[in-house]
Amino acid sequence: MHGPDPSTRHPLAGAPHTVFLNAVVTRPTIEVGAYSYYHDPDHAAEFEDRNVLYHFDFIGDRLRIGRFCALATGVRFIMNGANHPMDGFSTYPFAIFGEGWEKGFDMAGLASAHRGDTLVGNDVWIGREATIMPGVTICDGAVIGAGSMVASDVPPFAIVAGNPARVVRMRFDESTIDTLLEIAWWNWPAEKVARNLAAIRGADLDKLAQAR
């Protein structure tokens, strides 16, 4: 037994409220690792359209989500298409309305508002209705509290909450975090993960480090 097939669309006995994201995402600008899932009682399979917002191909930014991530209902990623240039006197997007307002507009000006790709590491838990802003990196093992507005990078194995989200505490001490990042169990083959679930679920670092 090696766990569920990571390409399964609905891994919980076919229930439509939960999807493995890599089985439903179609945009080449969104990458999701194996076993990362999204739960939504009504719209789980529509994740890329309802939860990844202002994501326009002409901007070129990417959303990358690692392996074994758990995303609760209503998690949203705001992408760079939501940003307006702020280096002039007005932030109003005149050019998109046309009718002459597009004249003189330089698309290169959008670069000043670009915050880069949005990255979510492995084994990240993002709580209900959390919002991730453009260009944020959420590192491995982090926990994002429900309703959080994440506007800055989140360290590995940090718990953050609030608006704007701030570190509430670290899940483990620095030495343990370094060891967990070195072990990186989320990169193991499915067979090794299945053999060592007790160590992964547990809190014995030596046992996890000795897993074979």
Side-chain angles (χ1 to χ4, degrees):
M1 299 295 291
H2 304 315
D5 181 345
S7 65
T8 302
R9 185 179 181 91
H10 298 293
L12 298 183
H17 55 62
T18 301
V19 295
F20 277 157
L21 283 170
N22 62 355
V24 299
V25 165
T26 63
R27 295 184 199 169
T29 49
I30 302 176
E31 303 171 24
V32 185
Y35 306 105
S36 289
Y37 72 86
Y38 174 60
H39 174 269
D40 186 322
D42 301 310
H43 305 288
E46 300 168 44
F47 174 83
E48 66 183 348
D49 292 322
R50 299 180 66 92
N51 301 79
V52 185
L53 308 177
Y54 306 101
H55 196 199
F56 306 129
D57 288 345
F58 69 88
I59 292 180
D61 54 341
R62 307 180 74 85
L63 170 61
R64 294 186 174 94
I65 300 173
R67 292 160 58 92
F68 295 98
C69 292
L71 278 61
T73 305
V75 169
R76 291 169 295 183
F77 294 89
I78 308 297
M79 303 301 286
N80 282 284
N83 285 334
H84 296 197
M86 296 177 60
D87 46 0
F89 295 122
S90 176
T91 62
Y92 191 84
F94 293 97
I96 68 172
F97 296 102
E99 302 296 331
W101 281 2
E102 74 282 5
K103 292 180 180 178
F105 177 70
D106 183 0
M107 285 286 291
L110 294 175
S112 67
H114 198 295
R115 300 292 180 262
D117 294 343
T118 299
L119 309 175
V120 178
N122 305 283
D123 192 25
V124 172
W125 173 21
I126 305 182
R128 187 182 180 99
E129 302 290 341
T131 299
I132 316 303
M133 297 300 285
V136 164
T137 294
I138 300 174
C139 293
D140 298 330
V143 176
I144 311 301
S148 296
M149 178 68 71
V150 184
S152 58
D153 294 350
V154 178
F157 292 93
I159 298 174
V160 303
N163 182 4
R166 295 284 186 263
V167 175
V168 176
R169 65 179 176 87
M170 304 302 293
R171 294 178 58 197
F172 308 105
D173 61 67
E174 186 175 351
S175 176
T176 299
I177 290 172
D178 289 343
T179 302
L180 288 170
L181 293 174
E182 183 178 355
I183 293 170
W185 67 263
W186 42 82
N187 289 330
W188 293 351
E191 296 85 353
K192 185 174 180 180
V193 170
R195 285 197 306 271
N196 294 283
L197 286 179
I200 294 170
R201 293 175 179 138
D204 186 332
L205 191 59
D206 289 337
K207 184 176 181 180
L208 186 63
Q210 294 165 12
R212 295 292 182 266

